[in-house]
Amino acid sequence: MAVDELDTRILRLLLEQPRTSVREYARLLGVARGTLQARLDRLERDGVITGTAPALSPAALGHPVLAFVHIEVTQGHLDEVGDALAAVPEIVEAFSITGGGDLLTRVVARDNAHLEDVVQKLISLPGVVRTRTEIALRERVPHRLLPLVESIGRAAGPDPRRPRDHGL
């Protein structure tokens, strides 16, 4: 899907000021509210915008330990293990992968002992052959999409239907 300069400016505002109203976004961007709403609807319909939930901190929720657990699965049991992972609340993400292992999970825990309990729970799941755990020491680049959005917007160039705006 093509993202033009206006889309990029909209997405930047959504990321930087997520609690702002549509009317205020339109004012900041210098576009009609209807234009902005149409763009937002298209970005949602095209799957660019996938949600509006707040970002939560597992550490602030009492789970400061972050680990990545690689899981090797018995051949033919990937779907069953994937379904079982969804029932483990400490697993915040899980992906099928290539390379060493079949699944990569992002796990949060209260402390190292709790992490060990979670890993033991994973090992006991039917279809799990083995796990390998890596504990994150410090976040070096927080989850972000704005640099990617801006790069795509620059590559797309300005929206030819709009005069160039040097603001946001």
Side-chain angles (χ1 to χ4, degrees):
M1 114 133 251
V3 175
D4 64 21
E5 184 184 22
L6 178 56
D7 292 333
T8 300
R9 292 170 59 218
I10 291 168
L11 293 170
R12 181 183 321 132
L13 270 178
L14 288 173
L15 291 169
E16 291 177 345
Q17 301 177 36
R19 294 178 160 236
T20 303
S21 69
V22 171
R23 182 180 3 203
E24 181 63 10
Y25 287 143
R27 186 190 69 74
L28 291 168
L29 293 167
V31 298
R33 186 186 179 287
T35 299
L36 178 64
Q37 189 62 60
R39 291 289 185 118
L40 289 171
D41 292 345
R42 180 180 52 80
L43 291 166
E44 286 180 14
R45 188 175 54 252
D46 291 348
V48 174
I49 298 172
T50 59
T52 57
L56 304 177
S57 166
L61 292 169
H63 288 67
V65 176
L66 170 63
F68 299 93
V69 180
H70 298 257
I71 302 173
E72 188 177 321
V73 177
T74 304
Q75 202 165 23
H77 290 86
L78 190 61
D79 289 339
E80 294 138 48
V81 173
D83 291 344
L85 294 178
V88 180
E90 294 87 357
I91 294 180
V92 295
E93 289 181 297
F95 302 91
S96 299
I97 60 169
T98 62
D102 300 298
L103 294 162
L104 175 64
T105 63
R106 185 171 165 222
V107 178
V108 296
R110 292 184 302 274
D111 52 35
N112 287 348
H114 181 218
L115 175 61
E116 182 182 14
D117 294 342
V118 173
V119 171
Q120 289 301 317
K121 186 185 303 184
L122 299 179
I123 290 170
S124 72
L125 293 174
V128 171
V129 175
R130 73 178 49 88
T131 66
R132 187 180 89 242
T133 303
E134 298 164 346
I135 297 176
L137 300 176
R138 181 182 303 162
E139 183 177 68
R140 298 294 180 165
V141 177
H143 179 77
R144 68 204 179 125
L145 291 173
L146 186 55
L148 176 64
V149 168
E150 289 176 338
S151 172
I152 293 167
R154 279 192 303 275
D159 181 349
R161 300 165 290 187
R162 258 186 118 250
R164 180 95 173 124
D165 179 80
H166 297 286
L168 287 170

